Amino acid sequence: MATVALLLRLFFRRTVVVDARFQLNMSNSRILVYFQRKSDDSLLRRAKFTESVVDVFNSTESTVHCAKVFLRHSKNQLVLLDEDDDSGQCLGDKKLPLVRPSFCPIHSLTSAVIDQLPQETLERGIDSGCSIILESCDGKVLLIRRASHLRTFPGVWTPPGGHVEENETVIDSFSLQIEGAALREFAEETGLVIKSEDCQNGKLQMLALWEN
């Protein structure tokens, strides 16, 4: 039996020229990240491109690269919350880990760099995506290698996955099973079709949120 987990990714597109070129074609087809925090009177707001998501939910210590959040996915919005909003739409009854690499460039952005970004980049928000971590019964993890001609992270080994598009389902909040975007991307990139009965304990697991 395989162990399969969903890694929800919060994308920051750092190749500014590519961002500007594809902004109009892609902005309406992607699921963007939103914040809802008690310190903001629980008002819903769209995340800014220049914001470090971890810092938003863990502002007390800038050297800490993790936080914990509740997650809600509805109306083509991926909402991160610091408290359960009692809507019944949050995933599970516990907070999920939110982590980033120590070298996250967004975390290190300076005001000088921000001032040089095109307005369309500043206004694009943060895309969401998902990856599937597949571990076989003998402890092997499935990775794919990005093409060498890509402008961002060429040749890097990564879990299969991609962006979440409008009207796709990230997960089913009631059964905690991956569907929609994660399974589509996984099948497109590997040719493998995953079913819950193929996995350990007969279910797919939500692993964490990853800021990159």
Side-chain angles (χ1 to χ4, degrees), residues 156-173:
V156 170
W157 291 93
T158 180
H163 286 84
V164 182
E165 298 177 358
E166 282 189 351
N167 300 318
E168 281 191 310
T169 302
V170 182
I171 52 178
D172 184 327
S173 298

Side-chain angles (χ1 to χ4, degrees), residues 19 27-28 59 80 135 137 146-147 154 161 166 168 178 188:
D19 280 344
S27 60
N28 293 326
S59 58
L80 278 58
E135 181 182 6
C137 57
R146 290 174 59 82
E166 282 189 351
E168 281 191 310
I178 300 174
E188 287 177 359

Side-chain angles (χ1 to χ4, degrees), residues 13-16 49-50 105-119 121-122:
R13 290 177 163 266
R14 301 184 182 93
T15 308
V16 176
F49 176 85
T50 54
I106 297 297
H107 172 61
S108 304
L109 273 182
T110 64
S111 56
V113 173
I114 294 175
D115 290 341
Q116 296 177 17
L117 294 175
Q119 190 63 32
T121 298
L122 293 173

Side-chain angles (χ1 to χ4, degrees), residues 141-196:
V141 175
L142 177 64
L143 299 176
I144 61 173
R145 193 170 191 179
R146 290 174 59 82
S148 59
H149 66 271
L150 294 177
R151 297 182 61 125
T152 56
F153 304 112
V156 170
W157 291 93
T158 180
H163 286 84
V164 182
E165 298 177 358
E166 282 189 351
N167 300 318
E168 281 191 310
T169 302
V170 182
I171 52 178
D172 184 327
S173 298
F174 298 101
S175 65
L176 303 184
Q177 291 183 347
I178 300 174
E179 58 184 14
L183 295 178
R184 173 184 58 79
E185 289 285 349
F186 187 85
E188 287 177 359
E189 296 188 359
T190 68
L192 301 175
V193 177
I194 295 178
K195 298 179 180 179
S196 58

